[in-house]
Amino acid sequence: MKKEKHNPFKDQYRVWYPYHSSDDPCPPLAKKYVVPPNQYLGFQPPNLPQFSKQEALIKGTLWPIFFSPYPPKKRRDKDGS
C-alpha cells in the first residue's frame, strides 16, 4: 500500500502535542493551529489557475492555491453549553 504524500496546500491544519513527563499530574493539551498556504510558496509562479470573479470575492483570493478557509465555529446550545 502506497502512503499518500503530505500536501501543505491541502493539509493546513496541524496539531502539536507537548512533552508529557511521567511526573506531570495533568494530561497534556494538544495545540491546534493553521499554517497558511503562502508559507510554502516562495514566489508566485506564472499561469496559476484562477477562481471566477464572483467566486474570488466570496473566497477572498483570486488563486485557489492561496485559499485557506476558517474552521467552522462551534455552535452553543441555548443553555450556554
Side-chain angles (χ1 to χ4, degrees), residues 22-65:
S22 59
D23 298 328
D24 192 356
C26 301
L29 298 174
K31 309 287 184 189
K32 298 176 184 175
Y33 62 98
V34 177
V35 178
N38 62 349
Q39 299 295 312
Y40 294 99
L41 196 62
F43 61 93
Q44 184 177 333
N47 303 321
L48 282 176
Q50 298 180 352
F51 287 127
S52 67
K53 292 177 185 178
Q54 296 297 332
E55 194 174 7
L57 287 172
I58 292 169
K59 299 210 177 205
T61 182
L62 184 59
W63 299 280
I65 198 166

